[in-house]
Amino acid sequence: MHHRKKKKRNCFLQGPCMLCFIIHSNTNGLDEESDHYETGVNTSGCRHNSVTAISVPGVGVGIGAAAASKLAERYASLASPEDCSKFLLSPRELALLEDQGRSLLSSVPAKLIPQPVVFRTAGVSLTVPIPVPVPVCSSDYTDMVCKRKCSEVQRCTPCKQPRCAFSGQEEGRENGGGEETPNSASSACEAPLCPDPSSAASSSSSSSSSSSSTTTTPAEGCCGLGHSADVAHCSNSPPCCHHHHDDNLQKAPEAAEHLSINHLPSSILLKVLSHLTVKERCLCASLVCKYWRDLCLDFQFWKQIDLSGLQQVNDDLLVKIASRRQNVTEINISDCRRVHDHGVSTLAAHCPGLQKYTAYRCKQLGDASLSSLATHCPLLVKVHVGNQDKLTDEALKKLGEHCGELKDIHLGQCYSVTDEGMVALAKGCPKLQRLYLQENKLVTDRSVRAVAEHCPELQFVGFMGCPVTSQGVIHLTALRNLTVLDLRHISELNNETVMEVVRKCRHLSSLNLCLNWSINDKCVEIIAKEGRSLKELYLVSCKITDHALIAIGQYSSTIETVDAGWCKDITDQGATQIAQTSKSLRYLGLMRCDKVNEETVERLVVQYPHIVFSTVMQDCKRTLERAYQMGWIPNTSNAS
């Protein structure tokens, strides 16, 4: 045996602590181990690693049966880990326990065996089982050595073990190109034990004389993380299982596959959850675990709340949101039929920073809710309350008094709103940029004149179906920033007023004149010539012919979208001319233009692929092609 440097042991007080011993297999070099223990009993400050086991050190000295039985009685009487830590043995007593080590070990109280220790290595939670001695081989005695790493203790490749007991021998481990032959004695046992240092040294020295020493490759540990250290030991020595925190750190790359989504930073998880709707976050994501529930309750998700279409939403829910989330800036309760004025008023009282409020088709709401919003939320910039029959001028007056920052308002199909409320709103909200009215039968030219005079920043104006005439529309020429104008279904709208608006509003980009039978070819020709910024022109059900389309193709270099659907006088000539002459056209709507043949449209589709032609047949074909691509219907030649 080669000489090895002896190393002092740091054990508690005058004897080794019984908590810092693990089991090793029975070996020979006992005299050297005995000397080793005698030189290391005068130190103090015992440390325990994360994985501890309780056993009895063994040395190569025989003892009498009487002395061993006394020590066994003392050892079996231990009732707690504290008592065990006080169970100190002198070097002479340590030398008396070899032959009776197995019997003493079997009498260890079960309550002294610690539970598995949970590590956190490289972001992965690891449950490390505690090695527990199992007395299965009655003929095989064990030696106990301190598990602290010294010159005599060599680290071995770990093996897998189920629960808290060792598993069978590790199979298929490479050893210099061949398979390692397990020890016959160890293979007969269900619990392979780690070799004693002296035995490993003697075995390696003896094997080196006959054959070269071999090196084992890293194997997967019982914790799912293998050890990367290459260890030299004899070929017939069984593997041992050392759970070291440093080894787990070395195998962190292999443990990456065990990482879950919860190991991502919370900022990334919040970004992922932001793509879900409120319903998906509340009913799905928040039920995964407590961590996800806390993430779903993050304040940034409750700034913009979209509850539209959720019939479960009622006043109590709004009260809870208001009491817990006072930083709400945007809320949408469209189609929520169980929400009433009380719930909205409570929300407004607790959320003074609310800026955007949307409540389409909430016919149960009235002036109380909107008035409360106007009073408590002076920072409102958007109010969309379309199709609310109970809304009157009183709520609009409150908005004009308190919401000077209002920029966007939608009052479509609020049939009780009159000119009085619109005038008060226009005077109190000079920053208004978007105003949309639809079928408000009590709104006349007076309202149009008021918004044109008091709201110079208007960019989007819509008066669809309102009893507005050309005398009121002409006031819109004062709006220099006007970009979108919706004049659908204006009963008394003449061509001269439309041409004047196009001439004066130089930034106009979208003009909707659908359902106006007074618009003719001459008006469209002036629009094409004067609309320098116009990109969208809607002429559905207007009194135009092919000359209007030809004029657009000849005079306009900006118009990209033209919708001439339901214009019965449009023929193949107009569709062909506008496609040939226009350099900016990208969409031509010919829906129900019955004088336009489908063969002509098919030819134009091939000749001008950059233009989308909208007809009944073309729309059906595009729908079928989309269905083929999505796999909804089989793409066969006889598919109809």
Side-chain angles (χ1 to χ4, degrees):
M1 296 178 59
H2 61 277
H3 297 283
R4 286 169 292 186
K5 184 179 180 181
K6 297 182 180 180
K7 189 176 182 180
K8 291 187 177 181
R9 308 187 54 79
N10 294 324
C11 295
F12 184 74
L13 297 180
Q14 298 298 322
C17 173
M18 300 304 295
L19 288 176
C20 58
F21 288 86
I22 61 174
I23 309 167
H24 291 281
S25 61
N26 190 19
T27 58
N28 292 325
L30 302 177
D31 296 336
E32 183 180 354
E33 275 305 298
S34 177
D35 296 336
H36 170 73
Y37 281 109
E38 290 178 357
T39 59
V41 296
N42 295 325
T43 57
S44 61
C46 179
R47 295 183 182 178
H48 298 286
N49 289 338
S50 298
V51 181
T52 60
I54 304 172
S55 62
V56 179
V59 292
V61 179
I63 64 173
S69 61
K70 292 181 179 180
L71 291 177
E73 292 176 0
R74 290 176 56 194
Y75 193 72
S77 63
L78 300 179
S80 65
E82 291 75 9
D83 296 338
C84 184
S85 64
K86 298 176 182 178
F87 187 83
L88 304 179
L89 301 178
S90 64
R92 183 174 300 275
E93 290 175 329
L94 289 175
L96 302 178
L97 302 178
E98 177 194 9
D99 295 335
Q100 302 299 325
R102 174 69 65 179
S103 60
L104 294 179
L105 190 62
S106 61
S107 62
V108 176
K111 55 187 174 182
L112 297 182
I113 301 176
Q115 297 296 326
V117 183
V118 178
F119 290 95
R120 183 167 294 277
T121 302
V124 183
S125 296
L126 303 176
T127 301
V128 181
I130 302 302
V132 178
V134 182
V136 291
C137 297
S138 59
S139 61
D140 186 17
Y141 293 95
T142 59
D143 294 333
M144 321 309 172
V145 298
C146 183
K147 80 169 188 177
R148 290 215 181 98
K149 291 182 290 185
C150 57
S151 60
E152 291 82 1
V153 179
Q154 298 182 4
R155 296 167 61 185
C156 303
T157 306
C159 62
K160 295 181 180 179
Q161 65 174 12
R163 300 180 184 175
C164 295
F166 290 103
S167 64
Q169 280 283 2
E170 187 177 4
E171 299 178 358
R173 186 167 51 176
E174 296 180 358
N175 185 12
E179 294 184 356
E180 185 178 14
T181 303
N183 193 356
S184 60
S186 300
S187 61
C189 303
E190 296 179 3
L193 302 177
C194 298
D196 188 77
S198 59
S199 175
S202 61
S203 300
S204 61
S205 61
S206 61
S207 61
S208 61
S209 61
S210 59
S211 61
S212 60
S213 62
T214 58
T215 303
T216 58
T217 58
E220 184 179 0
C222 58
C223 302
L225 295 176
H227 298 270
S228 60
D230 293 334
V231 183
H233 60 85
C234 61
S235 60
N236 60 351
S237 62
C240 63
C241 187
H242 288 288
H243 305 280
H244 292 290
H245 186 70
D246 297 338
D247 298 336
N248 292 333
L249 287 176
Q250 295 176 3
K251 298 300 293 181
E254 295 183 6
E257 60 183 7
H258 301 291
L259 296 177
S260 66
I261 190 175
N262 286 348
H263 292 91
L264 292 174
S266 58
S267 58
I268 297 179
L269 281 178
L270 290 174
K271 184 64 176 178
V272 173
L273 295 176
S274 66
H275 295 279
L276 302 178
T277 62
V278 174
K279 183 176 181 180
E280 292 171 341
R281 283 197 297 268
C282 293
L283 302 181
C284 299
S286 63
L287 303 180
V288 173
C289 60
K290 185 178 183 299
Y291 179 49
W292 281 35
R293 177 181 177 273
D294 295 339
L295 290 177
C296 292
L297 293 177
D298 190 81
F299 72 95
Q300 71 177 15
F301 291 142
W302 299 95
K303 285 185 177 181
Q304 297 87 20
I305 305 177
D306 186 3
L307 304 176
S308 58
L310 300 180
Q311 299 303 321
Q312 301 88 344
V313 178
N314 52 21
D315 293 339
D316 295 337
L317 179 59
L318 289 184
V319 171
K320 291 181 180 179
I321 294 175
S323 59
R324 298 180 182 179
R325 301 294 173 183
Q326 301 181 4
N327 58 339
V328 179
T329 59
E330 179 179 353
I331 188 168
N332 187 347
I333 57 172
S334 299
D335 298 306
C336 295
R337 306 299 173 85
R338 300 175 62 185
V339 175
H340 300 84
D341 291 334
H342 169 68
V344 179
S345 300
T346 304
L347 178 70
H350 288 83
C351 302
L354 190 65
Q355 298 179 6
K356 298 181 180 180
Y357 172 70
T358 304
Y360 289 118
R361 294 171 294 278
C362 295
K363 295 181 178 294
Q364 71 278 6
L365 298 180
D367 291 338
S369 58
L370 191 56
S371 299
S372 180
L373 286 168
T375 304
H376 296 95
C377 306
L379 301 179
L380 277 174
V381 296
K382 175 183 176 181
V383 175
H384 285 194
V385 288
N387 202 355
Q388 291 190 12
D389 300 337
K390 298 181 180 180
L391 200 63
T392 65
D393 296 335
E394 297 298 326
L396 298 186
K397 292 179 181 179
K398 290 290 183 180
L399 287 175
E401 292 177 4
H402 302 282
C403 301
E405 301 294 327
L406 190 63
K407 296 180 179 180
D408 185 1
I409 188 167
H410 188 296
L411 299 171
Q413 295 180 331
C414 295
Y415 302 115
S416 300
V417 173
T418 65
D419 291 335
E420 183 178 358
M422 290 300 302
V423 171
L425 179 67
K427 291 181 179 180
C429 303
K431 297 182 180 181
L432 204 62
Q433 297 178 359
R434 296 174 60 91
L435 172 64
Y436 185 79
L437 300 176
Q438 179 180 347
E439 298 180 6
N440 300 81
K441 301 301 181 180
L442 301 179
V443 175
T444 63
D445 294 339
R446 180 187 173 191
S447 299
V448 181
R449 183 170 60 252
V451 297
E453 292 177 356
H454 299 286
C455 304
E457 298 182 10
L458 274 173
Q459 300 176 6
F460 182 102
V461 176
F463 290 99
M464 177 184 175
C466 297
V468 177
T469 64
S470 295
Q471 297 178 359
V473 174
I474 198 66
H475 293 286
L476 298 178
T477 56
L479 302 175
R480 302 303 180 184
N481 297 324
L482 189 63
T483 57
V484 179
L485 181 59
D486 188 352
L487 297 177
R488 286 177 290 176
H489 196 42
I490 302 297
S491 56
E492 299 182 10
L493 183 64
N494 54 44
N495 295 329
E496 289 73 13
T497 301
V498 175
M499 291 185 289
E500 189 66 19
V501 171
V502 174
R503 290 191 183 99
K504 297 294 181 64
C505 300
R506 308 302 298 178
H507 297 285
L508 191 65
S509 61
S510 179
L511 179 61
N512 197 330
L513 299 174
C514 298
L515 303 175
N516 287 310
W517 288 95
S518 59
I519 303 300
N520 53 23
D521 294 339
K522 182 180 179 181
C523 180
V524 174
E525 181 178 349
I526 299 299
I527 292 174
K529 292 180 179 179
E530 300 293 339
R532 303 297 177 83
S533 302
L534 196 64
K535 293 183 178 181
E536 299 176 357
L537 181 60
Y538 300 94
L539 302 169
V540 177
S541 296
C542 291
K543 194 177 180 179
I544 61 175
T545 63
D546 292 337
H547 296 287
L549 298 184
I550 295 172
I552 293 174
Q554 290 179 351
Y555 300 115
S556 178
S557 60
T558 59
I559 295 180
E560 299 177 356
T561 300
V562 176
D563 194 348
W566 294 86
C567 295
K568 303 299 184 180
D569 295 331
I570 300 295
T571 64
D572 295 342
Q573 181 182 2
T576 303
Q577 289 291 329
I578 190 175
Q580 291 176 349
T581 58
S582 179
K583 298 180 181 180
S584 59
L585 188 65
R586 295 295 179 267
Y587 176 87
L588 179 59
L590 299 173
M591 185 67 65
R592 291 309 305 270
C593 294
D594 299 334
K595 293 183 180 181
V596 178
N597 297 324
E598 288 296 333
E599 292 79 5
T600 303
V601 177
E602 291 286 350
R603 178 175 53 83
L604 294 176
V605 169
V606 176
Q607 293 180 353
Y608 307 98
H610 62 282
I611 302 177
V612 177
F613 295 89
S614 176
T615 63
V616 176
M617 292 302 299
Q618 289 297 319
D619 290 350
C620 291
K621 290 180 179 180
R622 280 191 290 270
T623 303
L624 288 176
E625 291 176 358
R626 178 62 175 170
Y628 294 151
Q629 295 175 359
M630 299 300 295
W632 297 334
I633 58 177
N635 189 3
T636 58
S637 58
N638 58 354
S640 60

